[in-house]
């Protein structure tokens, strides 16, 4: 806090005491929040009626959105101002300030009080506190008060050599007119408030950037998944709180499986949002490698441990060594994460947890039929799944465990962050009980379920971000799965082609028969030549057609570019040319090689196998 200006101190002892009391009040009451409008109102609460009868704060429009204000001495006084605060002691109904939704700006007219104040907003003008006195008849004072105003001070609000706007102080007829000492005091009040306003502007800019970054990293809309209906909600904290690192994700995996992810980076602000983005990208990358959930979290833990460390620290630290002592947690962003993989064929979900809150499962009531139309037909008890909690990401030194849970059709699975169930007013256990109750009595519609949960829990405290992912289990119908076992013999190739063609005919997908038959033949042939043991062929029909060929061999296939003189080596090239995607993943007893074909839409024709074959030679 700066000292009282010399001009304000020179005068009668009573005037000096009043000036000191006013500045003390300004120091205690202005800048208690990082909100622009609130800070402007705090200035007026100090000034009215202790210093003046009417007061207002007008800020540049670009200041309100966090942009850089113009520098002093380089500004011509023009621009668009918006009134963000007004106070009056001469009326029982002070002028209402427009809301953010319909806020109107007004241009600064040449020759107006505001124009003069802004053009004089240099360091010399502030130091000598030469503030102009006006009559209040130029439109800068509201019309209903113009007749009663006799003296007005218009003071530029300058912080860090940047002009934010204008503070205006007016005294009504019957009050003592402003003097030179009052001008110096007004300039000091405006200068102190301007610094607080600029802090709020900088915070708002960082908050908006972090929020834009965070939202850009979340899945758009409600994601789709095979065998799951999904509803997602994300609620940021209030603007007065910093952005957190909550995120959720829905990742499509081979074989129509789906990875469900919810995480929370500890800490706040732009750096937490950036760390969240890095972890979310890493999760998607690791998930597409088709690792087991516990392996995904182990690899993610290594990544999290290096997010906050310098390159020298990252190189000098053993990848597997746990943190101890002063090296403990200061270098990293800790994060919690729940990771689940759902298989719609087996209706089985594999969970792994890194210090996150446990998933909540509501099983359907077997005594009621969901198809009856009764909105409470699938109501059942909601329970916390006993998933091994694990340590947060970034701690290191501890392995992660995973468990498998069978999910019946019609069950509801909910993943969430702590902002949903915990606040200053409600402890965690109470929040979890309320969440289970809300989920247990939620309506049938999945979107209604998410809305009901948010409505019944205390989600308006704004102290933390909230992420909620609710999924209803459907599973793939039995008639959408073709599954066969084939002997490891050459005759199995023709048998696989025959089975694939018959199944596609049963699904009314004859347009895909030629392509699928050719690719199935290639994968089964590769399994015979390079794999081991019994061969398994599986076709899955959902939004796309997926073919999987399983064997007990551990060697993963590798695509290579065959030369013109080679007799073989073109099988996987053909698979890549004719399919929308292909890949290989490890299984507990070998590997699975798969490819995916889009379903006919009546407009585009499937790729011609003959043309693809010719292109390889």
């Amino acid at each position: 806090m700066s000292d009282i200006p010399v001009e304000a101190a020179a005068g009668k002892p009573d005037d000096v005491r009043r000036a000191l009391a006013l500045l003390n009040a300004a120091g205690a009451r202005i800048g208690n929040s990082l909100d622009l409008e609130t800070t402007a109102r705090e200035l007026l609460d100090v000034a009215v009626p202790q210093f003046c009868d009417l007061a207002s704060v007008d800020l540049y429009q670009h200041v309100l959105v966090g942009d850089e204000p113009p520098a002093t001495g380089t500004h011509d006084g023009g621009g668009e101002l918006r009134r963000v605060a007004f106070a009056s002691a001469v009326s029982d109904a002070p002028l209402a300030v427009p809301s953010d939704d319909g806020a109107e700006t007004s241009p600064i007219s040449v020759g107006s009080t505001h124009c003069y104040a802004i053009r004089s907003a240099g360091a010399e003008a502030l130091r000598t506190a030469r503030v102009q006195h006006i009559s209040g008849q130029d439109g800068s004072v509201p019309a209903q008060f113009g007749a009663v105003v006799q003296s007005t001070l218009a003071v530029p609000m300058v912080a860090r050599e940047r002009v934010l706007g204008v503070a205006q102080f007016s005294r009504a007829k019957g009050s003592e007119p402003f003097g030179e000492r009052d001008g110096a005091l007004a300039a000091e009040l405006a200068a102190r408030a301007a610094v607080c306003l600029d802090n709020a502007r900088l915070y708002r800019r960082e908050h908006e950037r972090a929020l834009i970054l965070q939202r850009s990293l979340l899945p758009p809309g409600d994601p789709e998944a095979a065998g799951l209906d999904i509803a997602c909600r994300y609620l940021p904290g209030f603007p007065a709180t910093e952005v957190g690192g909550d995120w959720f994700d829905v990742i499509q995996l081979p074989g129509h499986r789906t990875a469900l992810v919810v995480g929370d980076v500890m800490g706040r602000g732009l750096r937490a949002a950036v760390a969240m983005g890095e972890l979310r990208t890493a999760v998607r990358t690791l998930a597409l490698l088709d690792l087991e959930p516990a392996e995904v979290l182990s690899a993610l833990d290594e990544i999290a441990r290096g997010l906050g460390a310098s390159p020298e620290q990252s190189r000098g630290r053993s990848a597997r060594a746990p943190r101890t002592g002063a090296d403990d947690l200061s270098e990293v962003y800790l994060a919690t994460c729940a990771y689940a993989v759902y298989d719609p064929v087996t209706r089985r979900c594999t969970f792994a947890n890194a210090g996150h809150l446990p998933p909540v499962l509501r099983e359907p009531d077997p005594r009621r039929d969901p198809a009856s139309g009764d909105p409470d037909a699938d109501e059942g008890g909601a329970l916390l799944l006993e998933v091994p909690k694990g340590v947060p990401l970034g701690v290191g030194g501890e392995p992660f465990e995973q468990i498998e849970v069978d999910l019946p059709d019609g069950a509801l699975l909910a993943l969430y962050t702590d902002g949903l169930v915990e606040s200053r007013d409600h402890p965690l256990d109470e929040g979890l009980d309320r969440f289970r109750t809300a989920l247990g009595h939620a309506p049938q519609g999945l979107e209604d379920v998410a809305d009901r949960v948010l409505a019944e829990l205390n989600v308006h405290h704004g102290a933390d971000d909230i992420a909620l992912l609710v999924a209803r289990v459907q599973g793939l119908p039995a008639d959408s799965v073709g599954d066969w076992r084939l002997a490891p013999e050459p005759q199995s190739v023709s048998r696989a082609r025959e089975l694939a063609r018959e199944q596609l005919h049963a699904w009314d997908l004859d347009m895909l028969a030629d392509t699928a038959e050719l690719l199935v033949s290639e994968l089964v042939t590769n399994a015979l030549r390079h794999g081991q043991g019994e061969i398994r062929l599986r076709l899955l029909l959902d939004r796309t057609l997926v073919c999987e060929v399983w064997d007990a061999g551990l060697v993963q296939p590798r695509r290579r570019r065959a030369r013109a003189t080679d007799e073989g080596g073109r099988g996987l090239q053909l698979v890549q040319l004719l399919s929308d995607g292909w890949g290989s993943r490890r299984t507990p007893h070998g590997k699975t090689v798969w490819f995916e074909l889009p379903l006919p839409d009546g407009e585009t024709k499937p790729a011609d196998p003959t043309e693809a074959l010719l292109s390889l030679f």
Side-chain angles (χ1 to χ4, degrees), residues 342-349 405-407 475-476 536 538:
Y342 173 69
D343 187 338
V345 179
T346 62
R347 272 77 165 175
R348 185 168 297 161
C349 196
V405 179
D406 292 325
L407 302 181
L476 284 183
R536 181 183 179 188
R538 191 166 76 166

Side-chain angles (χ1 to χ4, degrees), residues 292-513:
E292 292 293 323
E295 294 177 319
V296 169
L297 292 186
S298 294
L300 198 62
D301 177 62
E302 298 292 339
I303 295 171
R305 295 175 68 191
L307 283 183
S310 66
E312 293 77 11
Q313 292 167 329
S314 297
R315 288 193 297 267
R317 185 189 305 123
S318 171
R320 297 292 177 184
R323 295 176 179 273
T324 57
D327 185 51
D328 197 14
L329 300 176
S330 60
E331 300 172 3
V332 297
Y333 270 103
L334 298 181
T336 64
C337 181
Y339 185 89
V341 174
Y342 173 69
D343 187 338
V345 179
T346 62
R347 272 77 165 175
R348 185 168 297 161
C349 196
T350 305
F351 294 93
N353 195 355
H356 203 76
L357 294 172
V360 176
L361 177 66
R362 185 188 82 178
E363 296 188 355
D365 191 337
R367 297 169 298 178
R368 298 184 179 182
D369 180 14
S372 64
D374 181 355
D376 297 323
D378 72 340
E379 180 182 322
L383 53 91
L384 297 175
L385 292 179
E386 296 183 1
V387 178
K389 188 169 185 179
V391 298
L393 301 174
V395 174
E398 295 292 333
F400 295 97
E401 301 179 37
Q402 64 185 43
I403 64 167
E404 291 186 348
V405 179
D406 292 325
L407 302 181
D409 285 352
L412 280 180
L413 177 67
L415 303 177
Y416 53 97
T417 55
D418 57 0
L420 180 68
V421 295
E422 187 177 25
S423 68
R424 295 186 182 92
D425 300 326
H426 300 283
L428 179 60
D429 290 342
E430 180 181 335
L432 288 172
D433 289 340
R434 295 177 61 201
F435 182 34
R436 291 171 51 202
T437 301
L439 196 65
H441 295 87
Q444 177 75 10
L446 197 60
E447 294 294 331
D448 295 334
V449 170
D451 292 337
R452 172 78 172 268
V453 168
L454 295 181
E456 293 197 5
L457 272 69
N458 180 32
V459 298
H460 302 296
H461 54 80
D464 198 2
D465 296 3
I466 293 172
L468 172 65
L469 189 156
V470 183
R472 174 172 282 116
V473 176
Q474 301 297 341
L476 284 183
D479 57 5
S480 294
V481 180
D483 199 345
W484 306 274
R485 307 278 178 167
L486 302 173
E489 56 187 23
Q491 293 84 350
S492 293
V493 177
S494 60
R495 178 58 179 161
R497 289 198 300 264
E498 180 183 348
L499 291 170
R501 183 170 288 275
E502 290 177 353
Q503 184 63 73
L504 292 180
H505 178 72
W507 286 338
D508 196 22
L509 293 175
D510 295 288
M511 291 182 64
L512 298 179

Side-chain angles (χ1 to χ4, degrees), residues 67-80:
D67 292 342
E68 197 72 16
T72 58
T74 63
H75 194 50
D76 61 2
E80 298 282 339

Side-chain angles (χ1 to χ4, degrees), residues 41 44 54-57 83-88 93-97 141-142 145:
R41 288 194 296 268
L44 303 193
L54 299 92
S56 63
V57 174
R83 182 150 294 175
V84 295
F86 179 84
S88 170
L95 181 68
V97 178
V141 178
F145 301 107

Side-chain angles (χ1 to χ4, degrees), residues 268-282:
R268 298 184 181 278
L270 187 58
R271 293 184 64 198
V274 170
M276 177 272 288
E278 294 182 357
L279 289 177
R280 178 180 180 268
T281 301

